[in-house]
Amino acid sequence: MSNALVGIRPTPVEVPSVVHAVARRLRSGATVVPVWRNEYGGLTVRLEETCTRRSSYLKWVPHGAACPDPLAEADRLVWAASFAPVPRVLDVGRDARGSWLLTAAVEIGGAVAASAIEPRWRRLAQRAAVAIGIGLRRFHDALPTDTCPFVRTAETRVAALTAAPTAPLGTAQRATTPLALESPPPVDRAVVCHGDATVPNTLLDHVGRFAAHVDIGDMGVADRWSDIAVTTRSVTRRYGPGLEPLVLAAYGVAPDHERTTYYRALWDAEETRRAS
Ligand SMILES: Nc1ncnc2c1ncn2[C@@H]1O[C@H](COP(=O)(O)OP(=O)(O)OP(=O)(O)O)[C@@H](O)[C@H]1O
Ligand SMILES: [Mg+2]
């Protein structure tokens, strides 16, 4: 058990033995510190090497989980690393129970960058909100759409939602999900979107400046509002109301009610599908 977890289901958490086994294989002698449990059974632990004082992050996801495969995320990290600050991939693998991704801890000026979800940023929420807006804009400006091999447009997401489900959908869900979403608003600006641009997935330096993004398993070319709509909502949910104008100003864009509403609804429909 550990009290270090800052994830969705709070402390304490028991690290499954398979994660310990993978951790031992990858970094023998490292201390395993759980940092995040996602909603689909995935677990991220920090591996702290006492000898070298280096840290790395191991994300383990069981097979069949309704979240991006760590191997697909590794492909995106390797591509994105030429353009934007994202963690360096150290190792990937899979076995009979799941797959995993090992990344180096992001360091800025010799200090390890930390997630904007850490409790200390709630007291400095305005600063963090600005950093999150700046970071998202940098990501969108830096990654080239013309050579990006990954696509995540509204159309591809709606098509995935309407595709034959693994478990049968109820009649009401089948009728309402696609109808509300099948006409996306016209694209404002196509960029390489992060795909899960939330507070926990943004890393800040020790004084609260943007440092890096993590968790880009859903990265792909799409309208920038598919990220912005999710980022602003995440800031409100994690820090409290009133900060969305700061995020938008830091990003450098005026509010767009229609696209924000659409992309939040699309996100919610995907969440509902994943939970079913
Ligand atoms: N290389 C890294 N450097 C620093 N922190 C990291 C790194 N990799 C992961 N983290 C931390 O671990 C947390 C969990 O990692 P990640 O977001 O990839 O997991 P996830 O299960 O996909 O998350 P989600 O619940 O958002 O889907 C991150 O929010 C971040 O705080
Ligand atoms: Mg995450």
Side-chain angles (χ1 to χ4, degrees):
M1 301 287 230
S2 165
N3 287 322
L5 197 80
V6 291
I8 292 162
R9 303 221 174 78
T11 55
V13 63
E14 193 153 0
V15 178
S17 57
V18 61
V19 176
H20 277 295
V22 171
R24 265 197 308 275
R25 223 182 297 161
L26 295 172
R27 290 286 185 272
S28 72
T31 305
V32 175
V33 181
V35 294
W36 188 264
R37 182 187 289 288
N38 72 25
E39 291 170 281
Y40 313 104
L43 185 72
T44 299
V45 296
R46 187 169 55 244
L47 304 182
E48 297 177 352
E49 293 173 47
T50 26
C51 302
T52 62
R53 298 178 136 245
R54 284 208 205 104
S55 295
S56 51
Y57 285 80
L58 171 64
K59 172 152 78 174
W60 178 85
V61 173
H63 290 314
C67 59
D69 189 293
L71 275 66
E73 182 175 350
D75 290 343
R76 285 161 176 77
L77 284 170
V78 168
W79 182 81
S82 307
F83 311 105
V86 293
R88 190 161 51 89
V89 175
L90 300 176
D91 207 346
V92 290
R94 68 165 78 232
D95 65 13
R97 303 225 6 224
S99 43
W100 63 83
L101 165 65
L102 183 74
T103 55
V106 174
E107 288 193 18
I108 303 285
V112 174
S115 171
I117 193 72
E118 298 259 328
R120 69 183 128 144
W121 300 119
R122 248 174 262 151
R123 290 191 303 278
L124 297 164
Q126 293 195 347
R127 189 186 298 184
V130 168
I132 288 166
I134 289 173
L136 186 62
R137 182 58 184 253
R138 283 197 199 151
F139 192 90
H140 289 171
D141 285 348
L143 281 80
T145 52
D146 52 348
T147 54
C148 178
F150 312 104
V151 175
R152 194 166 173 268
T153 59
E155 287 79 5
T156 60
R157 292 168 65 186
V158 172
L161 268 177
T162 52
T166 42
L169 281 181
T171 317
Q173 200 177 354
R174 195 184 284 280
T176 55
T177 301
L179 281 182
L181 298 168
E182 65 190 6
S183 303
V187 171
D188 167 40
R189 187 179 295 178
V191 299
V192 179
C193 281
H194 178 288
D196 192 4
T198 54
V199 170
N201 293 333
T202 309
L203 304 187
L204 306 180
D205 73 7
H206 67 292
V207 291
R209 288 173 299 208
F210 169 73
H213 284 108
V214 298
D215 202 2
I216 62 168
D218 275 328
M219 184 189 78
V221 175
D223 188 357
R224 60 182 178 168
W225 283 95
S226 66
D227 271 351
I228 299 168
V230 168
T231 303
T232 47
R233 185 164 67 171
S234 175
V235 165
T236 296
R237 286 180 173 172
R238 300 296 188 171
Y239 297 147
L243 296 166
E244 295 192 20
L246 274 183
V247 179
L248 294 174
Y251 182 96
V253 70
D256 184 326
H257 180 69
E258 186 196 359
R259 292 186 176 92
T260 299
T261 303
Y262 176 85
Y263 282 105
R264 287 179 183 177
L266 179 53
W267 179 277
D268 292 343
E270 290 171 332
E271 291 277 286
T272 303
R273 162 60 66 90
R274 278 197 279 261
S276 65

